[in-house]
Amino acid sequence: DPDLGDNGLLLYSLVNNQMNGFDIDENTGQIFTVSVAGKVGTFYLEVQAADQGTRRLAARTTVNVTIDSSSSNNKVVVVLNQKINVVEKNIAEVKRVLEDKLAWNIYIVDVYSNEYERKARSSTDVTYVKIIAFDEKNQEVPAEDVKRKLREQKSNIERELEQIFATSVTAAIEEAPADSASPERVAAIVLGVLLACALIAFLAYLLFTIKRKRYKRKDDQQHLVKKQDEIMEGIDNVCTADKNGSLRSLEKLEHANN
């Protein structure tokens, strides 16, 4: 407000704020949250700015506040056969078309391509638009319902998008990619792999030890049998020697008598 004095002093307020989830700084117009726990979706806040002159003048506007639920399971990915930089320039119109044809509020979670295309954003005609739909009560619409509605309205959506992009457009549905694993999950996976490797190594060592003991026992048995054979052979030799010795003694005795 270019006026001077009270006529240029603006105070801001929220009009018909029934959620009590937001508040506004009356001097700066800054909107902040009070309590939005468990709430997700797009909320429409009507904001009024009024001067403090004798005849107060005021103006109103609508501020859209979107609360993202990063852990939502209702994300749906729409695949467009357009370059990502072109889609980004027209993302507001894409959102408008989706809201018009699906009859839900649409929150654009992300617009992306693959990692290589991020470096060359106009290289490939494939762009993914990840969305969440909200009903009139600002509740998330189940992903399967969104996909069903997208299939039903596919031709109408493509017809509207063709007017925006001035070229033929296909809008396909793809499952939302899994979110990146958390550090805790990565650590758990790594630990699990290490434990599995340790278990395999232990079983291999145990099997090797058992086989080694079997071979050693077999060698000991063979050695024992060999010793027994040697002992028996020695005993047989001793008996022969004694017998021969006795015979020689008898021969000597007879010779002496003669």
Side-chain angles (χ1 to χ4, degrees):
D1 192 333
D3 292 340
L4 300 176
D6 291 341
N7 289 332
L9 177 61
L10 298 180
L11 295 181
Y12 300 90
S13 61
L14 294 178
V15 181
N16 300 325
N17 181 26
Q18 300 177 353
M19 292 187 309
N20 297 322
F22 302 89
D23 204 348
I24 191 169
D25 187 316
E26 66 174 5
N27 295 310
T28 65
Q30 182 181 14
I31 299 173
F32 53 91
T33 59
V34 176
S35 176
V36 292
K39 296 185 176 74
V40 292
T42 301
F43 300 86
Y44 304 93
L45 306 180
E46 191 174 4
V47 180
Q48 175 177 283
D51 65 24
Q52 302 304 299
T54 303
R55 296 178 58 187
R56 285 191 177 184
L57 298 177
R60 295 183 178 183
T61 189
T62 300
V63 177
N64 300 340
V65 179
T66 301
I67 302 175
D68 181 17
S69 175
S70 59
S71 61
S72 172
N73 294 321
N74 294 313
K75 298 174 185 175
V76 176
V77 176
V78 180
V79 185
L80 303 178
N81 65 331
Q82 301 295 316
K83 293 179 173 63
I84 185 171
N85 57 340
V86 177
V87 174
E88 288 175 331
K89 291 178 182 178
N90 295 279
I91 195 60
E93 287 298 303
V94 172
K95 179 176 182 292
R96 179 189 61 78
V97 170
L98 292 175
E99 288 185 333
D100 180 56
K101 300 306 177 184
L102 300 181
W104 290 314
N105 295 323
I106 299 298
Y107 171 53
I108 306 293
V109 178
D110 194 13
V111 179
Y112 62 95
S113 191
N114 62 39
E115 291 300 323
Y116 295 103
E117 290 157 10
R118 288 181 186 274
K119 300 176 182 178
R121 302 177 69 79
S122 61
S123 62
T124 305
D125 293 335
V126 178
T127 299
Y128 304 87
V129 181
K130 187 188 299 183
I131 66 172
I132 301 178
F134 298 92
D135 60 21
E136 63 278 0
K137 296 181 180 178
N138 285 319
Q139 299 297 317
E140 287 187 16
V141 180
E144 291 306 316
D145 292 345
V146 178
K147 293 177 182 178
R148 175 181 54 78
K149 200 75 169 286
L150 282 169
R151 294 187 186 99
E152 292 174 355
Q153 295 293 325
K154 186 176 187 297
S155 59
N156 294 329
I157 291 172
E158 291 177 345
R159 190 179 305 112
E160 292 288 333
L161 292 178
E162 286 175 1
Q163 296 180 8
I164 296 171
F165 293 101
T167 185
S168 177
V169 177
T170 59
I173 302 173
E174 181 174 295
E175 292 297 330
D179 294 331
S180 299
S182 63
E184 293 81 4
R185 185 176 181 183
V186 172
I189 293 174
V190 172
L191 181 59
V193 172
L194 291 176
L195 289 175
C197 292
L199 179 60
I200 293 173
F202 174 74
L203 293 176
Y205 171 77
L206 188 62
L207 182 62
F208 174 76
T209 302
I210 293 173
K211 286 185 176 181
R212 185 177 181 184
K213 287 183 177 180
R214 286 180 178 176
Y215 288 139
K216 187 175 184 302
R217 187 179 303 152
K218 186 176 181 180
D219 290 341
D220 292 342
Q221 290 176 349
Q222 291 177 348
H223 182 69
L224 181 60
V225 170
K226 184 177 181 181
K227 282 290 186 182
Q228 289 176 345
D229 291 342
E230 291 177 353
I231 291 172
M232 293 302 298
E233 183 179 356
I235 292 174
D236 291 342
N237 292 335
V238 170
C239 291
T240 303
D242 289 345
K243 185 177 180 180
N244 293 336
S246 298
L247 289 174
R248 284 197 298 270
S249 298
L250 289 173
E251 290 176 355
K252 289 181 179 179
L253 181 62
E254 290 178 357
H255 183 270
N257 291 332
N258 293 330

